[in-house]
Amino acid sequence: MNTTPIPLSNPDVTRAEIDAVVAVLQTDRLSIGPRTEAFEAAVAARAGRKHGIAVNSGTSGLHLCVKALGLEPGQEVLTTPFSFVATTNCLLFERVKPVFVDIDPVSYNMDPAAMEAAVKPTTRGILPVEVFGNMAHFEAYERIAKKRGLLMLEDCCEALGGVLSGRAAGGFGECGVFAFYPNKQITTGEGGVIVTDRDDIRDLCRSLRNQGRATDAWPSHARLGYNYRMSEITAPLGETQVKRLDEILAKRRAAAALYADVLGDLSELHLPPMAQPASASWFVYVVRLADAFDQADRDAVIDALRKQGIGCSNYFVPIHTQPYIMEMLGTKAGDFPVTERIAARTIALPFFANLSLEQAQRVREALAGAIAARARRRT
Ligand SMILES: *Cc1c(COP(=O)(O)O)cnc(C)c1O
């Protein structure tokens, strides 16, 4: 049996990226320089936004947006329990109260009707996520925000390059944040970029990421700030990756099509909707076991795959059931039934630009075997 490891994710870095990083090392500007500015402009352009502000992670970017939007302790923001914890954490950093809204079971994004029903006089904003790169409902979210006078912060960390009805991810609401951890569509190792059309948000985020300086050049500190700067060494990695974004997205789309092909006849599996517009940006490839299986089955399938060298994961554990969130917010299992039903059965499969047919077939064989073993236990 072939047990050569297949990673869960794998960055697509070429000679061009290596050369770009080496070139900046031969200069004497290793922070706050022209490469960072070029990267910011390139990301902003992909989002159809005027400004980009580079930071050292997606989480830092979300934190700065919460501050720049003027969200205050005790105010409430509607967000999804089915995401990476940073989506909620950025609110908690500022003692803003996350109010969770259950998801729709097809796109895994917040259900717009549930969102609208959750709006109260104390609600100040919404913080939606394109979960796994799916852009469903973003126009509806924007309509709700407009109608109810809410601020909208887009956590587009999973959706770079995605397009919905001609509008790019990062282009909804007041501002959005992309992330460039190595499992994202493109990477800077660590890093993020805030995008916005608003000059005041750009100015505040620039100041806040650089110790609250009034301007980058001057050691006069106008406000309490952070060191959330992106290194000038990583910026050219990102800049080169953005130049290759269309190529990388096409390869990821092809990898998703490969899975749809080889997994299509496994009736115990829900595949992610390929009917997403062709312009979707694939972040991860997450399959879901049929409702007849439970969380123990799912965990056993993940174990079986890992034993065969296949990287996979249980994306996501619902945020409202994370121990520290239950303690801080008083949430509990049972609060968001759709999220919990989905989250108990999802499996993120190995997914990266250069996924081969042979690898996809090995994943299929392992999955089919593990699912059959669990199905036999049930009968
Ligand atoms: C990746 C990601 C982030 C930010 O991650 P960092 O590791 O801080 O760059 C935020 N939200 C979501 C939904 C993500 O997937």
Side-chain angles (χ1 to χ4, degrees), residues 57-59 62 83-84 86-87 129 155 157-158 179 181 184 191 283:
S57 76
T59 306
L62 289 165
S83 180
F84 181 57
T87 309
V129 181
D155 178 348
C157 287
E158 303 192 351
Y181 188 73
K184 310 287 181 184
F283 168 49

Side-chain angles (χ1 to χ4, degrees), residues 176-321:
V177 179
F178 294 106
F180 304 109
Y181 188 73
N183 70 339
K184 310 287 181 184
Q185 286 89 334
I186 67 167
T187 188
T188 57
E190 296 285 359
V193 169
I194 299 160
V195 291
T196 185
D197 289 328
R198 279 176 51 177
D199 297 354
D200 60 330
I201 291 179
R202 175 204 54 193
D203 294 345
L204 261 173
C205 289
R206 274 196 187 154
S207 170
L208 287 166
R209 78 170 167 187
N210 193 15
Q211 311 281 15
R213 280 179 169 82
T215 73
D216 286 343
W218 200 244
S220 159
H221 297 262
R223 56 185 61 80
L224 177 66
Y226 305 85
N227 178 358
Y228 282 175
R229 294 183 303 260
M230 173 174 276
S231 158
E232 187 75 356
I233 304 171
T234 53
L237 170 54
E239 192 190 350
T240 311
Q241 290 256 285
V242 180
K243 283 191 189 133
R244 295 185 49 235
L245 181 60
D246 286 326
E247 171 208 333
I248 291 171
L249 292 182
K251 287 201 231 166
R252 294 175 82 93
R253 213 171 290 136
L258 206 56
Y259 270 137
D261 233 30
V262 303
L263 302 177
D265 64 330
L266 296 181
S267 59
E268 306 91 341
L269 275 189
H270 297 277
L271 304 186
M274 277 306 286
Q276 282 191 67
S279 50
S281 175
W282 287 87
F283 168 49
V284 282
Y285 193 86
V286 175
V287 296
R288 186 174 106 231
L289 292 176
D291 287 345
F293 296 87
D294 62 15
Q295 187 161 340
D297 294 322
R298 190 276 310 274
D299 293 346
V301 170
I302 288 182
D303 271 352
L305 264 60
R306 286 183 177 162
K307 284 207 178 82
Q308 296 173 59
I310 296 169
C312 53
S313 193
N314 56 334
Y315 288 174
F316 295 107
V317 175
I319 296 175
H320 70 277
T321 64

Side-chain angles (χ1 to χ4, degrees), residues 27-71:
T27 73
D28 53 12
R29 286 288 282 282
L30 300 185
S31 186
I32 323 183
R35 299 276 52 88
T36 299
E37 281 174 27
F39 179 46
E40 291 172 331
V43 174
R46 286 305 303 229
R49 292 289 207 181
K50 277 201 218 139
H51 311 301
I53 305 95
V55 285
N56 60 1
S57 76
T59 306
S60 308
L62 289 165
H63 182 198
L64 293 193
C65 287
V66 168
K67 292 196 73 104
L69 288 171
L71 291 165

